[in-house]
Amino acid sequence: MRSNSVAYLTVNDTPIFYTDEGEGPQTVLFIHGGTCDSHDWAAQIGPFTDRYRVIAPDLRGHGRSGVASDSYRPADYVRDLAALIEALGVGPVIAVGHSLGGLVASTLAVEHPAAVRAVVAVDPSYGFETAFAADVAMAFETADPVGVSAGLLSAMEGRGADGLPWLRDWHRRRALSMPAVVTSDVFRGIFALETEKVCRPAAEDYLKRRQCPVLTVSAADSLMAKGIDVEWDKANSVHPYSRSVAWDGVGHWLFQERAEEFTGLAIKWIEDLPS
């Protein structure tokens, strides 16, 4: 029986921290969002580990992983994770990503299709209008990108977080602890440098290149802010097993606000994946 492990693996000249737990017929790769870390998935790791092998890394510049010498764009995270999957010999994985992680999981599925069996995209960072993305990118042209990120993320909390008062402070404190160069690069990477994957209409063509099944779970308020709905996600997830869901009354971290419901939904969808 394979033992659980906590380890570092240097990929692309950057030490990447990850945990490797559980075993089963599938490997699930959890990918956290920007200015967060793999602790985000604490409510999911136990239930998933009961059924699957679970790999949960900290992205470069986040958590316990190293600060890279170059950049922090979605493409950099994809390169790191593709190398991690190859080094561990765990592909194809079920890539479960939140926010930036949802964008990274989708990009991984496009650029490295043999490494990804399916994607679970949780309130992913794509589908924005170009003008909105430009405004967000401009906000990070500042001497205080850390403060901007803390304010931006606080505004994305949902009503469900009211019952978890510690959650708001946890997200804010982690954002404030980030190196300024990482924070600036993360958000500029999403909203200024890789807009062909993020902004409509170019993102539609890009996302349709995902040939694997995709489960998208979004906050209804997030979709409204983007100017899209679940039908947009459905139209850009070409595999017939794909599914799009929107929840009312939750914010950006919906998988934490309604952890048990999210975990049950994701596991059921993974269990029924076509061969």
Side-chain angles (χ1 to χ4, degrees):
M1 184 174 183
R2 188 179 55 80
S3 61
N4 300 332
S5 66
V6 176
Y8 285 86
L9 181 70
T10 298
V11 298
N12 301 314
D13 298 321
T14 306
I16 300 299
F17 171 89
Y18 68 95
T19 57
D20 183 354
E21 304 177 78
E23 51 185 297
Q26 306 290 335
T27 297
V28 174
L29 175 71
F30 281 118
I31 311 171
H32 64 78
T35 74
C36 300
D37 57 42
S38 56
H39 280 124
D40 264 21
W41 302 105
Q44 282 74 45
I45 287 176
F48 273 78
T49 300
D50 290 341
R51 296 168 172 81
Y52 315 112
R53 183 174 179 179
V54 174
I55 312 294
D58 289 348
L59 299 177
R60 60 166 61 193
H62 294 72
R64 288 127 298 192
S65 288
V67 176
S69 60
D70 44 12
S71 66
Y72 302 89
R73 294 171 58 171
D76 298 312
Y77 298 124
V78 169
R79 288 193 301 115
D80 291 346
L81 294 179
L84 180 65
I85 290 168
E86 181 178 6
L88 298 179
V90 294
V93 301
I94 313 295
V96 182
H98 168 242
S99 191
L100 164 66
L103 171 61
V104 169
S106 291
T107 305
L108 188 66
V110 172
E111 306 298 340
H112 301 272
V116 180
R117 184 183 177 201
V119 168
V120 179
V122 188
D123 221 41
S125 293
Y126 51 69
F128 301 102
E129 293 180 336
T130 301
F132 174 85
D135 287 344
V136 175
M138 182 63 68
F140 281 90
E141 298 292 339
T142 172
D144 184 24
V146 172
V148 172
S149 71
L152 175 65
L153 296 177
S154 293
M156 298 168 70
E157 298 280 8
R159 295 187 295 276
D162 292 341
L164 302 168
W166 57 269
L167 198 59
R168 297 178 185 274
D169 199 47
W170 182 45
H171 294 157
R172 180 183 64 85
R173 289 174 62 83
R174 283 188 305 168
L176 291 174
S177 73
M178 294 289 292
V181 65
V182 176
T183 300
S184 178
D185 262 21
V186 165
F187 286 97
R188 289 183 64 253
I190 298 170
F191 292 105
L193 302 180
E194 297 195 21
T195 56
E196 77 283 358
K197 303 170 184 174
V198 171
C199 297
R200 309 193 307 270
E204 296 163 3
D205 292 334
Y206 189 82
L207 293 171
K208 286 173 183 173
R209 292 171 56 191
R210 299 175 299 182
Q211 296 301 305
C212 65
V214 179
L215 170 64
T216 307
V217 188
S218 300
D221 286 350
S222 295
L223 295 179
M224 185 179 300
K226 293 176 183 177
I228 59 176
D229 57 22
V230 291
E231 297 303 321
W232 185 87
D233 277 315
K234 289 177 182 177
N236 296 299
S237 303
V238 298
H239 192 284
Y241 185 67
S242 296
R243 182 183 177 194
S244 297
V245 178
W247 288 351
D248 291 315
V250 294
H252 191 47
W253 282 271
L254 58 92
F255 64 103
Q256 295 172 355
E257 294 178 32
R258 288 160 59 176
E260 186 174 349
E261 184 176 356
F262 170 80
T263 299
L265 170 67
I267 287 177
K268 177 65 166 60
W269 185 81
I270 292 170
E271 288 294 297
D272 292 340
L273 277 169
S275 300

